[in-house]
């Protein structure tokens, strides 16, 4: 009887030790992942914030050095309004901003939420902006917007805009109605 208890006790000790070691691996991995996550977030924030500030103030000279050579820009929500809005590579993005956005009369972003998660920074808010339509007509609009910026090795590698263009299109309609 004593021998059975001793075997059972040893088996219990082995099972407990095995369970503790198996449970300890995920805890260590989680701690390491948490540290890597915090480091990535801390490295992303200043780059993304500087880029975001330059973008929303249209300071293309400040923005350009923050872009990686292979960066991409897209606004998939603009396709039905302005056609395909996608640029691949730093030179193409800078041309889009300097030439394609030349008709912007102003851009002010009111941030309602900002989050930085690892390599990604997200800015949610409303964009107060104006656009010269090229025919002597300027349209002002305030539109909900989300900007997603991905950073790698201290540079912006991906920039995505998501805009609710309905307020802008309504402003265009009203402006053209008044003109006619």
């Amino acid at each position: 009887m004593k021998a059975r208890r001793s075997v059972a006790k040893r088996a219990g000790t082995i099972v407990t030790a095995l369970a503790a070691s198996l449970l300890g691996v995920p805890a260590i991995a989680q701690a390491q992942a948490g540290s890597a996550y915090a480091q990535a977030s801390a490295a992303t924030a200043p780059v993304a914030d500087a880029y975001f500030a330059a973008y929303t103030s249209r300071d293309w000279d400040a923005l350009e050095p923050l872009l990686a050579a292979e960066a991409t820009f897209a606004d998939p929500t603009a396709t039905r309004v302005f056609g395909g809005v996608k640029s691949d590579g730093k030179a193409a993005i800078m041309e889009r901003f300097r030439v394609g956005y030349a008709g912007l009369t102003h851009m002010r972003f009111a941030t309602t939420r900002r989050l930085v998660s690892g390599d990604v920074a997200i800015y949610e808010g409303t964009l107060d902006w104006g656009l010269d339509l090229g025919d002597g007509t300027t349209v002002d609009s305030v539109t909900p917007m989300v900007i997603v910026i991905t950073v790698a090795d201290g540079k912006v590698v991906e920039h995505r805009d998501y805009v609710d263009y309905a307020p802008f299109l309504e402003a265009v309609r009203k402006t053209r109605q008044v003109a006619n």
Side-chain angles (χ1 to χ4, degrees):
M1 182 81 122
K2 208 175 198 186
R4 283 189 190 183
R5 277 191 220 152
S6 179
V7 170
K9 187 175 180 181
R10 274 187 271 146
T13 303
I14 291 170
V15 169
T16 302
L18 181 59
S21 70
L22 290 176
L23 292 175
V25 171
I28 291 168
Q30 288 174 2
Q32 290 170 342
S35 177
Y37 171 84
Q39 288 173 352
S41 297
T44 295
V47 175
D49 287 346
Y51 179 92
F52 172 78
Y55 177 65
T56 57
S57 66
R58 297 177 298 148
D59 184 349
W60 309 134
D61 291 335
L63 181 141
E64 188 170 10
L66 299 170
L67 274 173
E70 71 283 359
T72 63
F73 168 83
D75 179 352
T77 56
T79 302
R80 294 182 184 267
V81 179
F82 298 111
V85 178
K86 186 168 184 342
S87 299
D88 292 319
K90 183 177 188 173
I93 294 169
M94 294 313 304
E95 182 174 348
R96 172 173 300 284
F97 291 165
R98 286 193 167 109
V99 177
Y101 286 13
L104 291 172
T105 60
H106 67 278
M107 243 171 79
R108 286 181 293 280
F109 194 88
T111 304
T112 55
R113 184 180 347 201
R114 168 197 174 267
L115 71 94
V116 178
S117 181
D119 299 335
V120 178
I122 301 170
Y123 304 85
E124 178 183 359
T126 54
L127 181 68
D128 178 346
W129 60 298
L131 181 64
D132 180 345
L133 298 179
D135 60 1
T137 306
T138 300
V139 175
D140 292 319
S141 179
V142 177
T143 56
M145 182 176 192
V146 175
I147 298 171
V148 181
I149 298 168
T150 304
V151 175
D153 299 322
K155 299 282 187 176
V156 173
V157 295
E158 185 177 78
H159 171 170
R160 296 292 177 264
D161 284 350
Y162 300 92
V163 181
D164 177 357
Y165 284 103
F168 169 75
L169 293 172
E170 180 60 19
V172 169
R173 188 189 65 74
K174 284 181 180 177
T175 300
R176 292 207 166 128
Q177 208 171 39
V178 169
N180 291 331

